[in-house]
Amino acid sequence: MAFLLKSQRNDIFNSIRICGLNHKDFDWSEGDFTDADGQFDVLTYKDSDYYFQFKIYDKSFSWSYSPGTSLLDVSGGGTIIEDWNDMHEAAEIWMESIKKDINEPDLWANLPETSDSLWQSTVSEYENSRFTNDEHTIIVQGVQKIREFVIEFGIANNEIKLLDNKLDYLVESSKKLGRKYWILVAWGTLLSVITSLALDSNSAKTIFEIAGKAFNDLYQGMLLLPQ
């Protein structure tokens, strides 16, 4: 038994479509209040803890949902509204929050893939010698390959400027730092590129693979590629 009107459910259907999410990734269910008399419809995002509770009283609404724009759980609390449009607007904010969160790369999840890779192989054993001119050319070429990959991935013009600033810094720092410390700067810079441009985990892994192949010879072949 559904507690929302068919027209209200259709509003939610259309909002999912407009948001660019897939209707098949959502499920409807029902629930009972634990803190008050009433019932509610629940829209959940499959294979996740994300949900929106449409709380329905006699002549009013309230809600709670996860995730929010800046909090994992958001509640209408004691706010009781009589206008469906306010409830609908809250649901649309929830959908945008889901879209943002599922597209956000999980850098912590990528750590097992890279922990034995280029960044942590035997950095402590390297001498902190400066790069030669030939080695600097290798860095420039490697950074250019990373740039080409990211641009081909598809980013906005203002994001290209951000990308260039970060990669230019990476090249310039190789002129001033020894190889032992530069590889740590490279690690931080590439992570910053990934998070700033909200690249997905597959793209993140590809970037580290490109960097590993490009910079491996600078460390006498001791850098391991991501598995």
Side-chain angles (χ1 to χ4, degrees):
M1 174 182 177
F3 302 107
L4 289 175
L5 297 174
K6 186 184 296 184
S7 60
Q8 292 168 339
R9 285 191 167 219
N10 286 344
D11 286 341
I12 299 303
F13 185 95
N14 289 328
S15 292
I16 292 173
R17 176 180 55 81
I18 293 172
C19 186
L21 296 172
N22 191 331
H23 301 91
K24 295 181 179 179
D25 291 331
F26 293 85
D27 269 335
W28 285 101
S29 60
E30 302 166 10
D32 296 314
F33 289 174
T34 57
D35 56 348
D37 293 332
Q39 294 175 306
F40 54 84
D41 283 339
V42 184
L43 185 60
T44 57
Y45 190 77
K46 293 180 180 178
D47 300 323
S48 77
D49 295 325
Y50 303 152
Y51 66 89
F52 191 104
Q53 293 182 350
F54 297 84
K55 299 183 178 182
I56 305 158
Y57 300 91
D58 186 23
K59 295 182 179 180
S60 58
F61 305 100
S62 185
W63 70 86
S64 61
Y65 59 86
S66 176
T69 54
S70 58
L71 296 173
L72 183 60
D73 293 288
V74 178
S75 174
T79 303
I80 305 299
I81 57 177
E82 297 182 0
D83 190 341
W84 161 252
N85 290 331
D86 292 336
M87 173 80 91
H88 185 195
E89 182 179 348
E92 289 180 329
I93 294 173
W94 170 68
M95 295 172 197
E96 290 293 342
S97 298
I98 288 179
K99 184 177 180 180
K100 178 179 182 297
D101 204 61
I102 62 177
N103 289 326
E104 182 76 14
D106 189 345
L107 299 180
W108 290 101
N110 289 330
L111 285 178
E113 299 176 356
T114 60
S115 61
D116 293 327
S117 67
L118 128 104
W119 314 116
Q120 290 188 6
S121 52
T122 50
V123 166
S124 62
E125 299 178 11
Y126 301 143
E127 293 183 2
N128 199 34
S129 58
R130 296 294 183 91
F131 295 112
T132 66
N133 289 337
D134 288 342
E135 289 175 329
H136 185 259
T137 299
I138 291 174
I139 290 173
V140 172
Q141 293 172 343
V143 169
Q144 179 60 23
K145 290 179 181 178
I146 293 170
R147 181 182 187 276
E148 290 172 353
F149 169 77
V150 176
I151 291 178
E152 184 178 352
F153 178 81
I155 59 176
N157 289 334
N158 63 315
E159 293 176 323
I160 292 177
K161 183 177 180 180
L162 174 65
L163 172 68
D164 287 342
N165 287 339
K166 291 181 181 296
L167 295 183
D168 287 347
Y169 169 76
L170 186 55
V171 171
E172 289 302 312
S173 66
S174 70
K175 300 176 183 178
K176 304 173 184 179
L177 299 175
R179 65 189 70 236
K180 180 177 179 180
Y181 297 120
W182 180 81
I183 198 66
L184 299 177
V185 171
W187 176 80
T189 300
L190 294 182
L191 278 181
S192 178
V193 167
I194 292 165
T195 54
S196 298
L197 302 180
L199 302 180
D200 59 35
S201 59
N202 288 332
S203 297
K205 184 176 180 181
T206 300
I207 287 175
F208 283 120
E209 289 175 343
I210 294 172
K213 293 176 182 177
F215 306 142
N216 194 41
D217 288 344
L218 303 179
Y219 294 85
Q220 296 80 48
M222 297 173 69
L223 293 180
L224 302 177
L225 297 179
Q227 300 300 315

